[in-house]
Amino acid sequence: MAQNDIGIDLGTTSVIINVEGQGIVLNEPTIVAVDTRTDSVLAVGEAAYKMVGRTPAHIVATFPLEDGVIADYHLTKEIVRRFVLKVYNSRIVKPRVAVCVPASITGVENDAVVEAALSAGARQVYLIEEPIAAALGCGIDILKPKGHMVVDIGGGTTDAAVISLGGKVLSNSVKVAGNTFDKALVHYLRIKYGILVGKKSAENLKKEIGCCSRTLGYGKRGEIKGRSLVNHLPQKLSLTTADIYEPMIECAQEIVGAAKQVLERTPPELAGDIYEEGIYLTGGCAQMMGLAEFMSEKLKVQVKVADDPVNCVSRGTAKSLEMTNKLESGFRDATPGLGKR
């Protein structure tokens, strides 16, 4: 990895940046606060996240990426530009930048990401798909003629892929991930317990007591606050893991389905490698209690959570810049006017 290289994991819920020689230098929510009266950006990242649910009518805190898709072209450009400038502001030497994007991203959305990185001062921009970056971040030697499978569960999408000889053999991407668990929990609490809670509160409860196993931590207890749908007054509930098991397991089953579709189409030799090696689980949601065990049971293959699953994609994105001539698919030079792969 050459000096001044930057790797960016552009996720639905967070942006993680790895700078050569420094490691992870930024991890902030993918959110922008906008003043609708002037159409100006007030804050991005952590500062904007603190405004969620607490802003006056003319200020909107929004996630420009939804379910792995760029919902707002201009705000995505702005958040990438600001974050790159935040971690790298040299006017003398321009960096090479690799950006990890969802496998389902469109050509127009690719262009938005590339333009944002160039406007922040990048001299060259590469795009890498999440499963390739996740595998590299796990420390897997993907250049060997051996099958490896990675399931990356981010905020907006889950990407499952079989990788061999430096490229994707098979992949599947579904819009079921961390945000899906949060939305399902909000809906479940409203229907089952008659309490309306915010997404942030649901996310915190998920992290605290959410579980996909009936044997691991099933008696853990947590609290959530919201508004009663009966008397419309503030309310606090004390819940156990068992109380919210149903929405957690329904979302987990969809992720298992996405991985199973890939396994069912995997060539026999590579399937044998995966059975021997196991499946690597990456992304923030990989840390959910009992998820790896549930997937192992359903897929009949060992599923193991990668070391530091949250930062796997960012590390792999940065590492890809060492391998620009070796990666066969899911990686390309996207700089205008230069050779494209």
Side-chain angles (χ1 to χ4, degrees), residues 33 63 72 77 90-91 100 117 166 175 177 207 242 273 292:
F63 287 86
D72 191 304
K77 287 179 64 175
S90 172
R91 297 183 179 181
C100 180
K175 294 178 180 179
K207 291 178 178 178
D273 292 339

Side-chain angles (χ1 to χ4, degrees), residues 188-207:
Y188 186 77
L189 293 173
R190 179 164 57 87
I191 300 300
K192 180 83 179 279
Y193 297 100
I195 183 173
L196 184 64
V197 303
K199 180 181 177 297
K200 285 174 65 176
S201 297
E203 181 184 7
N204 290 335
L205 186 69
K206 174 192 71 178
K207 291 178 178 178

Side-chain angles (χ1 to χ4, degrees), residues 6 30 32 42 65 75 82 85 101 135 145 153 169 204-205 209-210 237 257 280 315 319 328 336-337:
I6 296 176
T30 314
V32 184
L42 300 178
L65 283 85
L75 291 184
R82 289 197 183 201
L85 290 173
V101 295
I153 311 173
V169 179
N204 290 335
L205 186 69
I209 66 171
L237 274 182
Y280 290 86
R315 287 201 310 269
K319 189 175 181 180
E328 294 299 324

Side-chain angles (χ1 to χ4, degrees), residues 45-100:
E46 196 63 50
Y49 187 68
K50 292 177 180 178
M51 301 180 184
V52 174
R54 297 183 173 92
T55 60
H58 67 278
I59 296 177
V60 177
T62 181
F63 287 86
L65 283 85
E66 295 179 2
D67 299 330
V69 175
I70 295 178
D72 191 304
Y73 176 97
H74 298 291
L75 291 184
T76 299
K77 287 179 64 175
E78 184 65 14
I79 202 169
V80 172
R81 187 185 69 83
R82 289 197 183 201
F83 280 154
V84 171
L85 290 173
K86 185 174 182 178
V87 302
Y88 191 90
N89 56 12
S90 172
R91 297 183 179 181
I92 301 174
V93 181
K94 292 185 176 183
R96 292 192 307 166
V97 176
V99 184
C100 180

Side-chain angles (χ1 to χ4, degrees), residues 193-237:
Y193 297 100
I195 183 173
L196 184 64
V197 303
K199 180 181 177 297
K200 285 174 65 176
S201 297
E203 181 184 7
N204 290 335
L205 186 69
K206 174 192 71 178
K207 291 178 178 178
E208 187 179 355
I209 66 171
C211 186
C212 299
S213 168
R214 292 188 181 275
T215 57
L216 296 174
Y218 207 60
K220 293 188 71 174
R221 185 172 292 275
E223 290 185 345
I224 194 163
K225 301 169 186 175
R227 189 178 78 237
S228 170
L229 292 173
V230 178
N231 57 25
H232 306 292
L233 297 176
Q235 182 181 2
K236 180 174 73 174
L237 274 182

